[in-house]
Amino acid sequence: MASSIKDVATRAGISIATVSRAVNTPERVSAETLARVQAAMDALQYRPNALGRQLRAMHTGLLGVVLPSLANPVFAECMQGIEDAASVTGQRVMLMTTAYDLEREARAIETLLEQRVDGLVLTVADAAANPHLDRLDAEHVPYVLVYNDTVGQPRIPARCCVTVDNRAAARDAIRALLAQGHKQIRMLTGTLSASDRAALRHDGYREALEAAGIAPQPPVEIDFNADVMLPAELARLLAPPRPTAIFCSNDRLALLTIRSLREMGLRVPEDVSVIGFDGLAMGQWLMPTLATVAQPHRQIGEGAAQALARRIAGEVVPSITLPHRLLHGGTLARAPAAPASLSVVPSSLTSDTQGASR
Amino acid sequence: MASSIKDVATRAGISIATVSRAVNTPERVSAETLARVQAAMDALQYRPNALGRQLRAMHTGLLGVVLPSLANPVFAECMQGIEDAASVTGQRVMLMTTAYDLEREARAIETLLEQRVDGLVLTVADAAANPHLDRLDAEHVPYVLVYNDTVGQPRIPARCCVTVDNRAAARDAIRALLAQGHKQIRMLTGTLSASDRAALRHDGYREALEAAGIAPQPPVEIDFNADVMLPAELARLLAPPRPTAIFCSNDRLALLTIRSLREMGLRVPEDVSVIGFDGLAMGQWLMPTLATVAQPHRQIGEGAAQALARRIAGEVVPSITLPHRLLHGGTLARAPAAPASLSVVPSSLTSDTQGASR
DNA sequence: TTGAAAGCGCTAACAC
DNA sequence: GTGTTAGCGCTTTCAA
């Protein structure tokens, strides 16, 4: 049984109030008593009980974090940023993951609020249409969104998002492709309707192409969690007019694409250029390095924790748009004079069903 | 101000005891009062305060997690496993990261214990020589280690580790290399003294080679966090007798190695085979896929959470050794008849100091 | 089936 | 500089 303030008081032969002062405001305690308290605390291995303190104080110094999954390095890095920033100000962090499941999201928020976190950092599928956020607003719970991007959207009141400018970032990616002479640029994305930022990235894709006088092809949507590309999907991705470059809405998809292309005998970047989105550290360990639009995940997390701290303090905090950075990696090269021909239908287009059947 | 049990009681015209029962043991409350309590709770948006409950109950249902960093996908995945398992039993999870810093480790543990977590899951640099673990033992705090591997070590009492058999796993990696005709096999590792498991992997490397009648070369140690390989390190890695295969103590190092080799014109796996350790999901998205010894990170996390639950319940729980899995990826091929010659000293061996100077 | 009351560990207002 | 005491929100005896 852990010892309490009472035990310390008894042992030091003083009142609990003085022990409390010794712990929290030692300057208001005489040197002599302070020493006695110290001795007692050491002897008893006293460790203040945060629960008692928090119950009394009506706040906890706890931040609740609700993210889809740590298996995605994007969120893992962001979480690290949150933790870093929180630890600087002595806040602690409670994490719950949701796998984008609305019901788990609800439970997570509820649990965190029962624990009386001072505020929440969260990522949801679509921030403009999330019932839980409406409730948080109604209950005046301080919260900050990460990655969700409602900045351009008309909302009153606006939600505090810490994010990059997804649309502009996507435009930059496409422009980098255009600058290398690419005209046929296809987009590969996770389910558009399931992610506000994916939709925004698609907008950027369209805009950049249209500004260049090129008619964008419809994006190829594939299941967010797949770790193989189905033959049908690959076929759609390469359907005529054969693309010389592919813009993927995230790095994971980009890696998957590169692999699929190579398996069917296409060279990256000689035959097809590929650019991703996220800037996973890992992409830069590869050879060739992955061309991508890097998001400052760590800073997104840190920024969110800081913004949240201010919201908790009662400030009105606007959304924060952090700069993205185009990484001109080795998977991006000049467009080939003529698209590589696929004389033979590669095996992966016909027989790779077994690997894909999970 | 959030409403409390007292508010609900007042509004429902009953005592707080009955409200408490309505929440926790509704079967002991008459249907009629239950309805009244429900109505009051809804009207007041009542949310039970976990702090009060926990203070009273003398346990919290909180698990403390202490890990080096979530930027490392190994720990991120493990953390996801912990969270998954915890959420099944209604436990919640508080995370603190340490960057392997002993002082941060101490603070993290202290903070978590002040919050009265029921137990801890942690990874430390060297479990056999960690002062904090000794204190946890002395205070009878339930805890479980992940990745740390003291299984083979004589210790009384043994610490509960959830891990793979690092030594055997390394042996398997080397055997796979031997089976492909490799005779000159070098090992690349992070600082050996800083990691009990790296040391064990090195043991496995030595053993497997010696069993095959081959004298192992000393391992090449490089800074754990570097994201470029220094020319001097690369030179040591390739020093005669020129290796035809390289065993890296983790996947990150393996990726780095592959990149460095390719930059100097060596082909992987044609000239040099590379095998890693960890089984990062990402390694399988690459082309060629990374040969590696996969650890079941998710299950390690889940297993730890479950083991911890049992320790909290008072059981004595032995260490758990989870199976590793050899992934025979594309970066591993038959040894070349003669090692590739490096006629010219590649530029990366002489001039790449700028990239490395961070 | 319900209520009164004690107490979990702590802080802060107030009195000395 | 120190002590007394109320009370944060909750559960759980014990009585009724």
Side-chain angles (χ1 to χ4, degrees):
Chain A
M1 182 60 30
S3 55
S4 79
I5 200 173
K6 216 184 267 180
D7 304 321
V8 177
T10 308
R11 172 147 191 144
I14 53 172
S15 77
I16 60 167
T18 302
V19 176
S20 176
R21 280 187 288 254
V23 171
N24 300 297
T25 52
E27 66 277 11
R28 305 197 162 184
V29 174
S30 78
E32 191 218 358
T33 11
L34 196 56
R36 285 236 303 286
V37 174
Q38 271 301 351
M41 293 202 301
D42 292 348
L44 295 171
Q45 306 210 74
Y46 172 66
R47 181 158 26 229
N49 184 326
L51 297 174
R53 196 197 305 248
Q54 290 163 356
L55 185 56
R56 170 70 222 234
M58 309 290 284
H59 64 257
T60 55
L62 258 32
L63 304 185
V65 179
V66 180
L67 294 174
S69 165
L70 288 184
N72 185 338
V74 163
F75 298 120
E77 272 236 30
C78 175
M79 177 71 192
Q80 183 65 52
I82 295 172
E83 214 265 321
D84 287 347
S87 78
V88 167
T89 58
Q91 321 258 107
R92 279 127 296 136
V93 131
M94 251 177 88
L95 167 76
M96 310 207 66
T97 60
T98 65
Y100 284 119
D101 180 299
L102 264 187
E103 201 183 314
R104 282 182 66 175
E105 216 168 73
R107 270 207 308 277
I109 293 174
E110 198 57 28
T111 303
L112 261 9
L113 259 19
E114 289 186 359
Q115 191 68 42
R116 293 304 189 261
V117 296
D118 293 338
L120 292 167
V121 175
L122 52 186
T123 295
V124 300
D126 182 358
N130 185 293
H132 312 314
L133 298 184
D134 295 333
R135 281 200 43 204
L136 293 181
D137 285 332
E139 299 190 32
H140 302 102
V141 176
Y143 71 91
V144 171
L145 297 166
V146 281
Y147 296 104
N148 289 117
D149 187 347
T150 64
V151 177
Q153 298 200 17
R155 263 201 70 84
I156 301 162
R159 284 171 173 158
C160 178
C161 299
V162 180
T163 173
V164 298
D165 183 338
N166 282 284
R167 183 181 302 209
R171 274 197 308 253
D172 286 352
I174 301 304
R175 285 198 198 123
L177 258 17
L178 291 170
Q180 293 294 313
H182 292 278
K183 303 254 186 294
Q184 287 302 334
I185 303 174
R186 196 77 35 104
M187 176 162 183
L188 177 68
T189 179
T191 318
L192 278 179
S193 58
S195 159
D196 46 16
R197 44 225 175 274
L200 251 10
R201 290 170 202 172
H202 178 239
D203 290 346
Y205 160 80
R206 271 198 298 98
E207 289 167 11
L209 283 186
E210 281 163 3
I214 298 176
Q217 299 286 318
V220 176
E221 291 188 55
I222 84 172
D223 176 33
F224 194 77
N225 294 306
D227 43 39
V228 277
M229 205 177 298
L230 300 176
E233 293 163 341
L234 195 49
R236 258 186 298 147
L237 191 60
L238 296 177
R242 174 78 70 78
T244 62
I246 297 173
F247 170 49
C248 301
S249 72
N250 64 56
D251 281 355
R252 197 172 158 292
L253 250 26
L255 262 16
L256 211 57
T257 300
I258 293 171
R259 179 174 172 193
S260 302
L261 293 176
R262 291 206 177 140
E263 277 176 349
M264 62 187 289
L266 286 171
R267 293 166 304 162
V268 175
E270 292 83 356
D271 299 326
V272 183
S273 285
V274 174
I275 187 166
F277 200 113
D278 276 346
L280 296 189
M282 192 131 2
Q284 305 313 304
W285 304 342
L286 308 182
M287 178 72 182
T289 58
L290 181 64
T292 189
V293 182
Q295 303 191 74
H297 303 291
R298 208 70 161 238
Q299 284 98 300
I300 288 176
E302 289 169 4
Q306 287 158 0
L308 182 56
R310 295 175 51 198
R311 288 208 68 168
I312 291 170
E315 290 181 53
V316 177
V317 183
S319 284
I320 302 176
T321 302
L322 261 18
H324 58 271
R325 208 156 55 89
L326 190 72
L327 297 186
H328 201 296
T331 59
L332 165 52
R334 284 208 66 76
S341 62
L342 274 180
S343 41
V344 188
V345 177
S347 65
S348 62
L349 237 44
T350 58
S351 65
D352 193 19
T353 44
Q354 151 245 18
S357 64
R358 27 138 276 142
Chain B
M1 181 60 29
S3 54
S4 79
I5 199 172
K6 215 184 269 182
D7 303 321
V8 176
T10 309
R11 170 143 191 149
I14 54 171
S15 76
I16 61 167
T18 301
V19 176
S20 176
R21 279 185 288 250
V23 170
N24 300 297
T25 51
E27 67 277 12
R28 303 199 163 181
V29 173
S30 78
E32 191 219 357
T33 16
L34 194 56
R36 285 237 301 286
V37 173
Q38 271 301 350
M41 294 202 300
D42 291 347
L44 295 171
Q45 305 210 75
Y46 173 66
R47 181 159 23 228
N49 184 327
L51 298 173
R53 194 200 306 249
Q54 290 163 356
L55 184 57
R56 169 71 222 234
M58 308 291 285
H59 64 257
T60 56
L62 257 33
L63 304 185
V65 179
V66 180
L67 295 174
S69 165
L70 288 185
N72 185 337
V74 163
F75 298 120
E77 271 235 33
C78 174
M79 177 70 192
Q80 183 65 53
I82 295 171
E83 214 264 322
D84 286 347
S87 78
V88 168
T89 57
Q91 321 259 107
R92 279 127 295 138
V93 132
M94 251 177 88
L95 167 76
M96 310 208 67
T97 60
T98 66
Y100 284 119
D101 180 299
L102 264 187
E103 202 184 313
R104 282 182 65 175
E105 216 169 70
R107 270 208 307 278
I109 293 173
E110 198 57 27
T111 303
L112 261 9
L113 258 22
E114 289 186 359
Q115 191 68 42
R116 295 305 190 259
V117 296
D118 292 339
L120 292 167
V121 175
L122 52 186
T123 295
V124 299
D126 182 357
N130 185 293
H132 311 315
L133 297 183
D134 295 332
R135 281 200 42 204
L136 292 181
D137 284 333
E139 300 190 32
H140 301 103
V141 176
Y143 71 92
V144 171
L145 297 166
V146 281
Y147 297 105
N148 290 116
D149 187 348
T150 64
V151 178
Q153 298 200 16
R155 261 200 71 83
I156 301 161
R159 285 174 171 155
C160 178
C161 300
V162 180
T163 173
V164 299
D165 184 339
N166 282 283
R167 183 181 301 210
R171 274 197 309 255
D172 286 351
I174 301 303
R175 283 196 200 126
L177 258 17
L178 291 169
Q180 293 295 311
H182 292 277
K183 304 254 186 294
Q184 287 303 333
I185 303 175
R186 195 76 36 102
M187 176 162 182
L188 177 68
T189 179
T191 319
L192 278 178
S193 57
S195 160
D196 46 15
R197 45 227 174 274
L200 251 11
R201 289 170 201 172
H202 178 238
D203 289 346
Y205 160 80
R206 272 198 297 97
E207 290 168 11
L209 282 186
E210 282 162 3
I214 297 177
Q217 299 286 318
V220 177
E221 292 189 54
I222 83 171
D223 175 34
F224 194 77
N225 293 305
D227 43 41
V228 277
M229 205 178 296
L230 300 176
E233 293 163 344
L234 195 49
R236 260 186 298 146
L237 191 61
L238 296 177
R242 173 77 69 79
T244 61
I246 298 174
F247 169 49
C248 301
S249 72
N250 64 55
D251 281 354
R252 198 172 157 293
L253 249 27
L255 261 15
L256 211 56
T257 300
I258 292 171
R259 180 175 170 190
S260 303
L261 293 176
R262 291 206 178 140
E263 277 175 349
M264 62 187 288
L266 287 170
R267 292 166 305 162
V268 176
E270 293 82 357
D271 299 326
V272 183
S273 284
V274 174
I275 186 166
F277 200 114
D278 275 346
L280 297 189
M282 193 128 3
Q284 305 314 303
W285 304 341
L286 309 182
M287 177 73 182
T289 58
L290 181 65
T292 189
V293 183
Q295 304 191 73
H297 303 290
R298 209 67 161 243
Q299 283 98 302
I300 288 176
E302 289 170 4
Q306 287 158 1
L308 182 55
R310 294 175 51 197
R311 289 207 66 168
I312 291 170
E315 290 182 51
V316 177
V317 182
S319 284
I320 302 175
T321 302
L322 260 17
H324 58 270
R325 209 155 54 91
L326 189 73
L327 297 186
H328 201 296
T331 60
L332 166 53
R334 284 208 67 78
S341 62
L342 274 182
S343 40
V344 188
V345 176
S347 65
S348 63
L349 236 44
T350 58
S351 64
D352 193 19
T353 45
Q354 152 244 18
S357 64
R358 30 139 271 141

